[in-house]
Amino acid sequence: MTKFTIESWQESDICKESTNETTIRSATIKKHYIGVLQGNSITHYSLCYLPDGSAIFTGIEVFTGEYNNCNGQFALSHEGKFEKGEAKGSLTVVAGSGIGQLKTISGHAHFCAGEQSEHELHTSFTL
């Protein structure tokens, strides 16, 4: 298992629909990982906030560091939903995005993140 902390979160409006309070935003998130994954990442999200307070998000995360004692970099595609104070997401390694010793990495992961400062990422990766 891997744990991560969010080091920074910067979010801004892309557009806002005034008739139903739906807001489209972009966000850049920096994370730090410890565990099976050790390193740092930057994620770029597109988010659609709905009038009920929930949000749908998609994004790309670029991880740099170690996986199973192999160094390199790879990208993850994100898809998820924020609802009732929790973000739940599914991640997939972007095929062909691996660099260095992580050149052949593949697989998927998922997370559930709430108000706590440290979150769990459950991975199923292969090299």
Side-chain angles (χ1 to χ4, degrees), residues 45 58-62 75-79 89-94 97 109:
Y45 279 139
T58 62
I60 297 291
E61 178 174 1
V62 177
L76 292 157
S77 173
H78 284 236
E79 211 173 283
S90 299
L91 295 71
T92 303
V93 174
V94 176
S97 68

Side-chain angles (χ1 to χ4, degrees), residues 45-74:
Y45 279 139
S46 293
L47 305 103
C48 179
Y49 285 96
L50 302 172
D52 67 2
S54 67
I56 302 297
F57 58 89
T58 62
I60 297 291
E61 178 174 1
V62 177
F63 170 83
T64 303
E66 285 184 19
Y67 170 69
N68 279 349
N69 298 316
C70 294
N71 290 304
Q73 186 178 70
F74 63 95

Side-chain angles (χ1 to χ4, degrees), residues 4 31 33 37 41 43 45 57 59-63 74-80 87-94 106-112 120-125:
F4 67 92
K31 298 182 214 165
Y33 287 93
L37 285 176
S41 73
T43 305
Y45 279 139
F57 58 89
I60 297 291
E61 178 174 1
V62 177
F63 170 83
F74 63 95
L76 292 157
S77 173
H78 284 236
E79 211 173 283
K88 294 180 182 178
S90 299
L91 295 71
T92 303
V93 174
V94 176
S106 64
H108 53 87
H110 68 276
F111 70 87
C112 180
E120 293 180 359
L121 179 71
H122 301 274
T123 61
S124 180
F125 296 154

